[in-house]
Amino acid sequence: MLYILSLPLLLFGCQSKTYYQAMNTNQQRFGGTRLVDAEFLNESHDQIRLIEVMTVTAMERSVMKETYIRAKETHRITEQVTKKHEFEALKHRIKLASTLSTSKDSQLQKLYEVSDDHFDIVYMQQMQKQLSELILSLKQYIESGTDLKLVAFSNDTLIKIEKMARELTIYSYS
């Protein structure tokens, strides 16, 4: 019981306010392959958080019912993946950002600026792009990562993200 109550405090302790503060802390804490692992977890966490926030936006703004349903399912999966990322970072003493990086935030702002008439189409295009980038990042780490536990974690995450991307592609072309 105590473990369940202390988990949020531990997870909060492994997060920095900004992406760059987290990266700076990790650079001071680690070197070599551990730093590469920390950078990978931070970058993939940033990507997943962007996808998660985009899905929340889509649930609020989508016009088409199918877009809403896909966004809701995607959000459910990304929430799980985000929690697993945070737990994996905790196990490795890696700091993660609690906010998006500047580049991811600017991509999100572009989605916010889209008119309601075009939102569903732009959202689907952006989701496919973000999922493709995340899949590429995960594959690269699986091929070149040195921490076997992180490689296994990345492989599990890749399976979920690829399935989500396939379902999104099927919907967008139907």
Side-chain angles (χ1 to χ4, degrees), residues 1 13 17 24 31 47 51 80 91 100 110 127 132 162:
M1 178 73 169
K17 183 170 174 73
N24 189 34
Q47 189 79 36
I51 292 168
Q80 293 171 358
K91 290 191 311 189
L100 293 174
K110 289 177 186 175
M127 282 299 291
S132 295
E162 283 181 328

Side-chain angles (χ1 to χ4, degrees), residues 20-112:
Y20 302 101
Q21 287 173 336
M23 293 297 271
N24 189 34
T25 300
N26 291 328
Q27 286 174 349
Q28 293 173 6
R29 187 178 287 176
F30 305 117
T33 58
R34 292 282 317 265
L35 181 58
V36 172
D37 297 339
E39 288 171 349
F40 161 73
L41 268 181
N42 258 293
E43 290 166 5
S44 59
H45 182 260
D46 193 37
Q47 189 79 36
I48 291 167
R49 288 292 313 265
L50 172 62
I51 292 168
E52 187 177 4
V53 175
M54 286 173 60
T55 60
V56 171
T57 305
M59 288 189 298
E60 293 170 356
R61 291 191 52 201
S62 63
V63 177
M64 298 171 57
K65 180 181 176 182
E66 192 64 32
T67 303
Y68 173 83
I69 292 169
R70 294 288 176 204
K72 189 172 182 178
E73 178 62 19
T74 301
H75 184 259
R76 185 186 64 76
I77 295 168
T78 55
E79 273 187 323
Q80 293 171 358
V81 171
T82 297
K83 287 176 184 163
K84 288 182 179 181
H85 251 78
E86 290 168 353
F87 188 69
E88 200 64 34
L90 175 67
K91 290 191 311 189
H92 288 83
R93 293 186 53 235
I94 294 171
K95 283 274 190 190
L96 296 177
S98 58
T99 61
L100 293 174
S101 65
T102 304
S103 63
K104 298 298 182 206
D105 189 55
S106 68
Q107 292 174 26
L108 183 62
Q109 293 305 317
K110 289 177 186 175
L111 184 65
Y112 287 154

Side-chain angles (χ1 to χ4, degrees), residues 64 84 124 146-147:
M64 298 171 57
K84 288 182 179 181
M124 293 302 288
T146 57
D147 186 311

Side-chain angles (χ1 to χ4, degrees), residues 115-141:
S115 69
D116 289 341
D117 295 339
H118 298 97
F119 179 82
D120 291 72
I121 294 168
V122 173
Y123 164 75
M124 293 302 288
Q125 291 170 344
Q126 286 300 312
M127 282 299 291
Q128 288 174 340
K129 178 181 180 247
Q130 299 307 323
L131 290 171
S132 295
E133 289 177 9
L134 179 58
I135 288 168
L136 180 63
S137 172
L138 290 167
K139 285 181 177 179
Q140 287 174 343
Y141 188 80

